[in-house]
Amino acid sequence: MSRTRADRGSPSVFIERIHLVWDLVIIVLVVANLMLLLIDGLFLLSPLNDAFEAIAPGLHGAYDRHIHANFVAIDLVFVAIFVLDVLLGWAAAIAERRYHRWFFYPFVHWYDVLGCIPVGGFRLLRILRIISLLHRLQRLGLIDIRQWRLYGVYAKYYDILLEELSDRIALRQLVSIQEQVRSSDSLSQRIADEVIMPRKQELIHEICRRLEDMADSAYRANRDDLMRFISALVRRTLAESPEIKRLRRLPLGGQVASALDEALSDIAQRLVHEAIEGLHSPEFDSLVAHLADSSFDAWLRVDVHTDRVTEQVLLDTLELLKEQVARQRWKQRYD
């Protein structure tokens, strides 16, 4: 209990309460000021002014003498309070190091600053202070705007608008890229010279590594089947050999042929095993690198057909991207 009381009496909680009270006061003043702006704007309309005077002449006269006649002075009182709020918020932001630089506050809260200007168009910006203050109340945990039905409607259509705008921009960019690809005369050659060739050694190293990993993993996963296949192949080859057939007719020839079969099978299996193990040797890396290097230039040789194929592949890929971007995914979310 004592700890809870200490927390309640801590300076940070006290400051938060002051912020809360001040925010509530500012919300009330902004609403009052906006109501005053609305009522005085309607008061200036002759049909509404005449109807107001006909219905309540006493109230009309009191409003005309005490409020409308002193509208500028009353508005300046509100402006003074709003200017004080901006200055206090700026000071608090500097004290709390809320922004990267001390002079960032008026740029971030531009609507508060412009709303303090007592000129017709700028006065309407004061309604944005309501949004700012609601955000502050949301940050303090006093309200949860996300549970409001109005916020749900806003979030839905804001999400739809943002997706449509981003999709339109992305489509325009993709169309522009397609036009540039069509207008390029040497796209394949530029890809080869500017993209692939600078990374030639890296690609060769990657090819060697992939070949080693692929052969090694395939051998280890299918080793037993591979050894049985080699043994069967050697046995079938020896069985079909005329020399082995003649050898089997000799005394003890069958035993010699069987021993030869086993020896050759063992030798073939050892050769395969040693070949797979040799994939990780520097000699094999050098051999594959030499083969890849010698065939790399031939593989990158570009002609008219190659350029046309490359261009068509890129255009088709971009077309698929356009179809994917043009798909209105928000319909699936909000159906």
Side-chain angles (χ1 to χ4, degrees), residues 69-83:
N70 302 306
F71 175 79
V72 175
I74 296 173
D75 187 62
L76 288 177
V77 173
F78 283 103
V79 168
I81 298 174
F82 296 152
V83 169

Side-chain angles (χ1 to χ4, degrees), residues 69-111:
N70 302 306
F71 175 79
V72 175
I74 296 173
D75 187 62
L76 288 177
V77 173
F78 283 103
V79 168
I81 298 174
F82 296 152
V83 169
L84 177 62
D85 176 58
V86 171
L87 294 177
L88 291 176
W90 194 350
I94 294 175
E96 297 172 2
R97 299 180 181 273
R98 198 178 304 162
Y99 303 109
H100 185 64
R101 290 289 185 269
W102 65 271
F103 54 83
F104 279 14
Y105 183 87
F107 296 100
V108 176
H109 299 266
W110 58 270
Y111 43 84

Side-chain angles (χ1 to χ4, degrees), residues 184-203:
S184 177
D185 296 330
S186 58
L187 180 62
S188 299
Q189 190 64 48
R190 290 191 60 190
I191 292 176
D193 294 340
E194 301 177 18
V195 178
I196 299 178
M197 289 304 294
R199 299 168 179 82
K200 178 179 179 180
Q201 295 304 320
E202 298 176 10
L203 291 172

Side-chain angles (χ1 to χ4, degrees), residues 20-33:
L20 173 60
V21 173
W22 180 254
D23 288 343
L24 292 175
V25 170
I26 293 299
I27 287 177
V28 173
L29 291 177
V30 170
V31 172
N33 184 240

Side-chain angles (χ1 to χ4, degrees), residues 129-141:
R129 296 178 64 91
I130 298 289
I131 301 175
S132 174
L133 295 172
L134 288 176
H135 174 71
R136 288 155 73 174
L137 295 177
Q138 173 81 15
R139 180 173 54 85
L140 293 173

Side-chain angles (χ1 to χ4, degrees), residues 8 37 59 63 80 84 110 116 118 193 241 245 257 327 330:
R8 290 178 179 176
L37 292 173
L59 184 60
Y63 180 85
L84 177 62
W110 58 270
C116 294
D193 294 340
S241 173
K245 291 179 180 179
R327 185 178 302 168
W330 57 266

